[in-house]
Amino acid sequence: PMFLGVVDQTIVATALPSIAGALGSVEGMSWVVISYLVATTVAAPVYGRIGDLLGRRRMMVVALVISAVGSAICAAAGTLGMLVVGRVVQGLGGGGLMTMCNSLLGEAIEPRDRPRYQGYLSTVGVSANAFGPLAGGLIADHVGWRGIFLVNLPLVVVALVLVLRLPVLSAPRRP
């Protein structure tokens, strides 16, 4: 899930010229990137609080589903406005992916082992930042710009399977 959340930030960068050509709007292309980042920033603390109340694993599943819905909207977008809406939805899921990864780590790993696992998450983040633009350019050139959003769907399925295999370690708190 962390990889998916981070790669979604960067994968569109190299595909922006293809997207602008297809949608006929160069002026608004910055919104394709900014809308995701703003939605992610707004959503992250909300997921943290709701995860405390309803359960972190459950909220990770919600974030994955929202991210997949956003990716599908982006892939189907016929206008810049629709693409921006899809990126907002995708970002609302992405904020949960990053927040819940760290929260689930804190829940599942003993305190003495957490620094090592935080290092693993950092490695995933750095790898995703490097992989995103490269993958975005290759996919946009060989499949088309819609492919950069469709590639997320199988990744979400894999992430869902992995998240659902996690043990439920603590019951959610009730207010």
Side-chain angles (χ1 to χ4, degrees):
M2 174 70 84
F3 182 84
L4 182 63
V6 175
V7 88
D8 280 342
Q9 293 177 12
T10 60
I11 198 167
V12 298
T14 50
L16 286 175
S18 297
I19 296 170
L23 298 181
S25 176
V26 174
E27 303 83 31
M29 281 301 111
S30 61
W31 284 105
V32 175
V33 177
I34 292 168
S35 58
Y36 181 88
L37 296 175
V38 169
T40 301
T41 303
V42 169
V46 175
Y47 275 97
R49 179 66 180 137
I50 296 173
D52 289 345
L53 297 173
L54 301 178
R56 292 172 184 95
R57 190 174 91 153
R58 180 179 296 156
M59 291 310 298
M60 176 63 88
V61 170
V62 168
L64 284 164
V65 170
I66 291 172
S67 183
V69 168
S71 294
I73 293 169
C74 289
T79 65
L80 177 62
M82 179 88 163
L83 181 59
V84 169
V85 167
R87 289 291 284 168
V88 168
V89 173
Q90 198 179 34
L92 292 174
L97 298 179
M98 290 180 260
T99 302
M100 292 295 102
C101 278
N102 287 305
S103 297
L104 286 168
L105 181 82
E107 189 176 273
I109 304 299
E110 293 294 323
R112 70 178 185 285
D113 294 328
R114 285 183 196 152
R116 180 172 37 144
Y117 286 89
Q118 286 289 347
Y120 296 152
L121 279 182
S122 295
T123 301
V124 167
V126 168
S127 299
N129 271 323
F131 177 78
L134 176 65
L138 287 172
I139 293 169
D141 284 348
H142 297 290
V143 178
W145 68 268
R146 294 176 194 283
I148 65 172
F149 301 109
L150 293 174
V151 76
N152 290 345
L153 301 179
L155 293 175
V156 166
V157 171
V158 169
L160 276 170
V161 168
L162 293 174
V163 167
L164 292 174
R165 292 183 60 202
L166 289 173
V168 179
L169 297 175
S170 64
R173 290 185 298 175
R174 299 288 176 212

